[in-house]
Amino acid sequence: SYTGTDREPKYGLFAGKEYGVNETLPDYAELAIPLIDFNFQPKEQFQRNPAVSLPNHHAKLVDFLEGFFWTANFVGAQWEGEYAAPTAIPGVGVLSHYHSGISNVNFHQASVLLRKSPSFLNAGKAHLSRGAVTPYHNVTLQATRKIPLGMELFADFGDVWDDETSAENDDAYQDTIRRSDYEKADKIIADLVNFFQEFPDLSRDLQEEIIDFMVEDVLGAAAGKHAKTIRSLIPSSPRRLAQAQAAGGSFLYRYREMIRSSDWLQQNGFCLDTIRAGPSTIPSAGRGAFATRRIAKGETITISPMLHIPDKEILNMYPVGQSSSSTQSIGKQMILNYCFGHPESSLLLFPLGSLATLINHQSGKSSNAYVTWSRRADKLPNQHQYHDYTVEQMADVSKIVLTMKVVATSDIVEGEEIFLDYGPQWEAAWNDYQARWQRDNKGGNSHPFKAQDLRDQYRTKPFEAARTKRPPYPAGVATACFLNVREVPDGKPMFDESLGVDIVEWSSPTTQQDYKGRNLFIVDILDRSAAPDHFFNYTALAKFAEDRIEEIVNVPHEACTFVDLPYQGDISLPGAFRHPIGIIDGHFPQKWRNLKGTGSKH
């Protein structure tokens, strides 16, 4: 990554082709794994077995891990927990870095917010995968500006991150100039270039005088204290103005070396075109990873940086709420199923590489790949010196230092699914879970309807309205709407006397790009009316804030959906499968085996 250094390298994502504005990156559709009420757990848990857990590192571990997670509203998971559900999004969610001066991609949130259920799941029917695999998938990136081949991808982390980073940033490889400064400079550059194209007969001296006037006088009056900064971004000659615009704006004109050549990418990068996502050939496995081309035996299929979690106890879940003081675990976070580990160690490794979490299990010779540490000769080498650290020492390492690779054990043809052998402990745990599931479901295979089940059913079915009929929805599911609102037109009712609330009108989302998880609100649907353009329009009651409850009219059918209430979704299913993926015993460092001889191998 451009934001790394030789001493502390970072791995980033680079465009392997040119992308236009609003174009999605469909080959990198990822999973999203919420961690429900992560860190809302009693500190006493870390004192019960101090030989195993790391009580002195708890707060530091949480801060380190949360630095790689996204807020839940990016995928619509904000109601999975009582307080928060920070969400792990590997691949595009981690490897597209932050830069204070530019962002060129953002999550195409509609891809995950409007996703359909996998074909193997039937509404109201039990299935082995319910609770064992994340229901959040199809997380993709979308270009927010033209991206040339070879440019690194920088994600928009949001205004809050921008504000915090600008106040605290001490990274010499980040830009102290704000993103908004570049945007204002680009607007002036575009206006000047357009003006000179409209009047091509102006002398060069007159053109430069116009630039000076715009930059010195007009900008100084309009931009205030930021005028000097913005002024430094605007070229002083008409020719260079055109060059800046052709480069893609003032930021790229300033940092032209940020766009890497094809030769540089070939020499230093690893191409992520070997696998794609798709429904697994194993019905209980959810999604899987498939070869996009022929892969020879011994060839590296993919390489993945690994996020180290030194204490797996941090993934235990506990009751939350003011009346709860229990230190008895009620389960484990689902992310455990996507981590690699060893029965003699408390350390887990979560793969950050693109689509690496989609590779499923087949035992023995039925697998066609294995996972091992990348070597010095690989494009993304592992830092083997950390294999000599103890687990407690690894807890003090607050950067990504480990890298693994998936290697083919046989020739793999295009379209073939990639499989790892997860190891005997994982397979035994899965067989036990499968036997228990079959025993519990032998009298029938019904399953409570969840939000995703209802979303699929109500795409072409009108929502029930409270004023006409009691909604027949399960207790653990709520109706929700994507809401941006505006004042109602003159002459229309502005206040509902019966409810004592103001009336506003729905305004968006109207396009796929408009769907944002932050604009998703739980609502009561009060009424409905036929609407030729939208199937049905609805009147809804929403609580936007503690002191702001409003009635929204003319909400179209496609803006309405369902969400699971806290701890009611499949992701919180009691007794669901939880077990890390095994690493080949001979490949797991001896220094990390801190559970050896303790009797704690869970």
Side-chain angles (χ1 to χ4, degrees), residues 89 140 185 300 590:
I89 305 175
T140 57
T300 297
Q590 290 293 327

Side-chain angles (χ1 to χ4, degrees), residues 42-65:
K43 302 299 184 289
E44 291 85 353
Q45 62 158 309
F46 293 97
Q47 299 168 6
R48 289 175 297 172
N49 193 350
V52 175
S53 61
L54 306 170
N56 298 328
H57 296 272
H58 173 263
K60 187 175 181 179
L61 281 179
V62 170
D63 289 343
F64 169 60
L65 295 176

Side-chain angles (χ1 to χ4, degrees), residues 192 194-211 238:
L192 286 169
N194 291 338
F195 181 80
F196 294 144
Q197 288 176 345
E198 187 176 352
F199 299 97
D201 296 332
L202 294 175
S203 67
R204 179 167 178 173
D205 288 344
L206 186 53
Q207 288 178 335
E208 291 178 352
E209 286 182 16
I210 292 172
I211 293 173

Side-chain angles (χ1 to χ4, degrees), residues 4-69:
T5 66
D6 290 338
R7 294 184 61 184
E8 292 192 12
K10 296 180 182 179
Y11 299 121
L13 284 177
F14 292 79
K17 56 170 259 187
E18 182 178 295
Y19 289 96
V21 178
N22 292 332
E23 188 174 352
T24 58
L25 284 66
D27 294 336
Y28 308 115
E30 295 283 359
L31 302 174
I33 311 160
L35 283 79
I36 301 174
D37 290 324
F38 183 61
N39 195 30
F40 286 91
Q41 50 195 3
K43 302 299 184 289
E44 291 85 353
Q45 62 158 309
F46 293 97
Q47 299 168 6
R48 289 175 297 172
N49 193 350
V52 175
S53 61
L54 306 170
N56 298 328
H57 296 272
H58 173 263
K60 187 175 181 179
L61 281 179
V62 170
D63 289 343
F64 169 60
L65 295 176
E66 287 191 332
F68 295 91
F69 300 156

Side-chain angles (χ1 to χ4, degrees), residues 115-149:
R115 69 193 182 280
K116 295 182 179 180
S117 291
S119 58
F120 56 83
L121 284 184
N122 295 314
K125 300 293 184 181
H127 194 278
L128 269 172
S129 70
R130 287 189 184 268
V133 300
T134 178
Y136 296 92
H137 59 87
N138 207 35
V139 183
T140 57
L141 290 178
Q142 182 178 42
T144 57
R145 60 190 301 159
K146 182 179 177 181
I147 302 174
L149 185 153

Side-chain angles (χ1 to χ4, degrees), residues 565-580:
L565 294 174
Y567 294 91
Q568 300 301 307
D570 278 341
I571 201 169
S572 299
L573 194 64
F577 180 76
R578 295 289 185 271
H579 200 281

Side-chain angles (χ1 to χ4, degrees), residues 542-580:
K543 184 177 183 179
F544 292 101
E546 287 298 324
D547 58 349
R548 183 188 166 200
I549 299 176
E550 293 177 336
E551 181 177 315
I552 306 97
V553 298
N554 298 328
V555 183
H557 184 86
E558 57 267 27
C560 300
T561 186
F562 293 93
V563 296
D564 292 308
L565 294 174
Y567 294 91
Q568 300 301 307
D570 278 341
I571 201 169
S572 299
L573 194 64
F577 180 76
R578 295 289 185 271
H579 200 281

